[in-house]
Amino acid sequence: MIRLSVSDLESLRYWRANEDADLASLIQRLMHLEPPTPVMKAGRAFAKLMENAPQGELTEMPIDGWVFRFELDAELSLPAVRELKAEVLFETPSGPVTLVGKVDGLHGISVHDQKLTERFDAERYLDSLQWRAYLSMFGAREFVYDVFVGRYDGRVVTINDYHRLPFYAYPEMRADVQKAVDDLAAVYMEHVIPAAERTTEAGAA
Amino acid sequence: MTLAAIRIKAPRVAAAYEIALKVGVCEAARRLGLHQSTVSCHVGKARRMLAGTFHQRPTEAQPARESERQHLAGLRHDSHTTRCRCGLSLPCYQCVQTIWQAASSRSGAAHGEF
């Protein structure tokens, strides 16, 4: 049984869209060997902040060595159900695949995901397989990106803008996700598993 | 109140009935982080609204006109009901949409608020 994540689907899509990216970088990413960048670490800290955010006003919050300052006037409804994992089985030509993922929030048939970015670019999210996969996995109708725009000053992130970006389920969405899982499973069988075996053998030698 | 801040609010649960209709009361309660009885309460409100016996605002809680009551009652035939996973019979989504629209135009309430 192959176990793949929604992030892996995005890694393959991103790699295909980037002509300069070589196969080695994709394999490394799918093997989860890349160390997290400071931006990724900040994103994780921010996700943790949102997961535990209480009701009320939030102006500044230190968490995991980062400080998030909110210099904006906005209201946000956070779902009561936060950080929810899901697994769905897909049958593919490469064998059965368990697709795993975790959403930041679930409110009925709406899925929420918080993003921290330095520049808001709506089109960046449009082609994403993330919202398609999660809508399919949770049987949901709406996927909302809560996009926070911030600027970095060392380990202080000042958030000065917020965008709510919703996407909706559409008729052939499940087929699109199935196709993406099929493609990823084929890449995984052909490239990632042999690379992992080589790494194991080299370690044992 | 601080000017530059983000205010975290509890989510609206007004859509609980609609969600319950699609995924069942038990599943809706799980997905909304609510107790089943809370979701059932919203379902009950929706059903009373369907029967013309629930009004959005107390000041406008006048009895519906007889013709309107009959119209509303006429929507409650068996073909417009569905059954939740937990066995609770619920009126169909289309009917409630119709009632919401009628209620909203009377009271000025936002669609889906109840």
Side-chain angles (χ1 to χ4, degrees):
Chain A
M1 176 79 73
I2 309 171
R3 195 173 172 88
L4 301 171
S5 71
V6 173
S7 302
D8 294 336
L9 289 180
E10 268 299 277
S11 294
L12 179 59
R13 187 189 68 81
Y14 182 79
W15 179 79
R16 281 176 166 166
N18 185 357
E19 287 183 9
D20 295 333
D22 59 13
L23 184 61
S25 67
L26 174 66
I27 292 169
Q28 195 172 29
R29 190 174 271 230
L30 291 177
M31 288 174 73
H32 305 285
L33 295 175
E34 289 185 334
T37 63
V39 169
M40 288 163 72
K41 287 179 181 172
R44 286 176 193 171
F46 187 73
K48 193 171 173 183
L49 187 161
M50 285 294 157
E51 181 187 354
N52 300 300
Q55 286 181 38
E57 289 193 353
L58 208 55
T59 52
E60 186 173 305
M61 182 70 79
I63 188 163
D64 289 350
W66 294 83
V67 176
F68 296 96
R69 284 189 186 139
F70 292 88
E71 291 190 357
L72 75 171
D73 190 24
E75 281 190 348
L76 179 69
S77 291
L78 285 180
V81 179
R82 300 178 195 171
E83 292 286 319
L84 189 64
K85 289 180 181 174
E87 291 188 7
V88 174
L89 184 68
F90 284 83
E91 292 297 337
T92 77
S94 306
V97 170
T98 302
L99 185 67
V100 301
K102 186 169 71 174
V103 293
D104 290 342
L106 177 70
H107 183 64
I109 44 179
S110 291
V111 175
H112 284 254
D113 193 75
Q114 283 104 34
K115 296 287 185 194
L116 178 62
T117 182
E118 290 180 271
R119 190 172 66 88
F120 178 62
D121 178 6
E123 291 195 10
R124 186 173 142 200
Y125 302 97
L126 188 66
D127 295 332
S128 174
L129 282 161
Q130 187 189 38
W131 62 266
R132 291 173 168 86
Y134 282 135
L135 283 176
S136 186
M137 290 168 79
F138 283 91
R141 195 176 61 179
E142 181 189 49
F143 186 103
V144 179
Y145 282 111
D146 292 309
V147 185
F148 294 86
V149 184
R151 62 172 188 274
Y152 289 77
D153 182 11
R155 294 179 76 84
V156 176
V157 185
T158 304
I159 294 159
N160 48 30
D161 206 0
Y162 164 73
H163 300 269
R164 184 182 187 276
L165 186 60
F167 291 96
Y168 297 92
Y170 58 89
E172 293 300 315
M173 186 180 71
R174 172 81 188 192
D176 289 347
V177 176
Q178 176 74 56
K179 171 81 170 54
V181 174
D182 290 352
D183 291 352
L184 178 61
V187 169
Y188 198 82
M189 292 297 285
E190 190 175 340
H191 299 290
V192 180
I193 289 180
E197 287 172 351
R198 283 196 298 274
T199 305
T200 308
E201 284 167 11
Chain B
M1 181 184 291
T2 314
L3 282 177
I6 188 157
R7 278 171 287 284
I8 309 291
K9 298 191 307 176
R12 286 173 69 241
V13 292
Y17 170 75
E18 188 183 337
I19 294 161
L21 196 59
K22 290 181 188 298
V23 297
V25 170
C26 308
E27 178 68 7
R30 194 180 70 83
R31 286 169 173 244
L32 292 165
L34 299 172
H35 194 271
Q36 282 183 23
S37 62
T38 309
V39 176
S40 293
C41 175
H42 281 266
V43 171
K45 285 177 183 175
R47 297 183 80 174
R48 295 208 307 281
M49 181 172 266
L50 189 70
T53 56
F54 178 83
H55 294 269
Q56 175 66 26
R57 294 172 184 172
T59 53
E60 295 180 7
Q62 303 153 356
R65 285 173 301 180
E66 190 56 30
S67 58
E68 187 177 57
R69 195 188 298 277
Q70 286 173 2
H71 172 66
L72 298 179
L75 289 166
R76 298 186 70 198
H77 54 78
D78 288 344
S79 65
H80 284 90
T81 62
T82 183
R83 197 163 283 276
C84 165
R85 284 182 196 171
C86 25
L88 187 67
S89 179
L90 303 169
C92 89
Y93 178 64
Q94 289 300 327
C95 289
V96 174
Q97 287 288 316
T98 308
I99 305 308
W100 271 334
Q101 282 162 9
S104 300
S105 62
R106 275 204 310 275
S107 66
H111 171 72
E113 285 184 357
F114 69 95

